Amino acid sequence: MATNRTFTMIKPDAVNAGNSGAITKMIEEAGFRIVAMKKTQLSPERAGQFYAIHKERPFYKDLCTYMSSGPIVPMILEKENAVEDFRKLIGATDPQKAAPGTIRNLFAKSIEANAIHGSDSDANAEIEGNFFFSHMEQF
Ligand code: UDP
Ligand code: MG
């Protein structure tokens, strides 16, 4: 059964460029309710834990360096069909392939520095949300 929550984080390139407000506005205008949100920064080790599923991929080491290079804005979001609808809102991993009007099409700098994360399943949305937020931080 599909749950109604997903997890996202605005990545260092977009926070650094001053786009976290514009991106958050797009998320809310698309009908997502913000359940939890904060500004924080990952150590390279913690970035490695978050992306452990990609450990064997050639881009893993650079990705961990990049994801720990500056502040990020993680959020838990709520909407009907949240995981699938949010992946549509952010667009393809490679901004060159992201559909017009998607967050990555508008704000991503490269396939690595691609502005935003979106969970790929209900199970991962729960794991990733719990990685950043306790139950007491969710409203
Ligand atoms: N990534 C990268 N090079 C690649 C593919 C992915 O640097 O060739 C980075 C990019 O930041 C991406 C993240 O690794 O968002 C996780 O990759 P995934 O395939 O899970 O893409 P996503 O689910 O974020 O679209
Ligand atoms: Mg992914």
Side-chain angles (χ1 to χ4, degrees):
M1 193 188 76
T3 60
N4 57 357
R5 285 191 178 184
T6 192
F7 170 80
T8 185
M9 58 187 161
I10 304 175
K11 296 185 178 183
D13 61 293
V15 173
N16 214 14
N19 289 326
S20 51
I23 291 171
T24 303
K25 186 166 191 276
M26 278 184 72
I27 291 170
E28 288 191 303
E29 283 178 353
F32 292 87
R33 188 178 75 81
I34 298 169
V35 173
M37 173 169 160
K38 65 184 165 193
K39 189 172 188 177
T40 186
Q41 185 163 349
L42 291 167
S43 64
E45 292 71 30
R46 238 172 106 69
Q49 284 167 23
F50 185 88
Y51 282 112
I53 193 166
H54 293 310
K55 207 177 257 171
E56 308 305 328
R57 309 282 290 277
F59 58 81
Y60 178 71
K61 201 166 177 286
D62 284 349
L63 177 62
C64 295
T65 302
Y66 157 67
M67 283 303 300
S68 57
S69 68
I72 57 168
V73 179
M75 297 180 221
I76 295 173
L77 302 173
E78 195 166 79
K79 183 186 179 296
E80 211 176 284
N81 203 35
V83 167
E84 197 186 333
D85 286 2
F86 194 74
R87 293 288 303 200
K88 270 188 207 138
L89 180 66
I90 70 176
T93 309
D94 180 353
Q96 307 266 27
K97 296 178 186 152
T102 58
I103 292 174
R104 282 168 167 170
N105 169 253
L106 293 169
F107 297 106
K109 303 222 180 325
S110 68
I111 192 166
E112 178 183 78
N114 60 0
I116 193 158
H117 170 82
S119 302
D120 61 8
S121 66
D122 290 341
N124 284 336
E126 183 159 359
I127 292 166
E128 293 170 359
N130 290 337
F131 187 90
F132 283 98
F133 297 102
S134 72
H135 179 68
M136 290 301 292
E137 294 173 297
Q138 300 180 32
F139 299 93

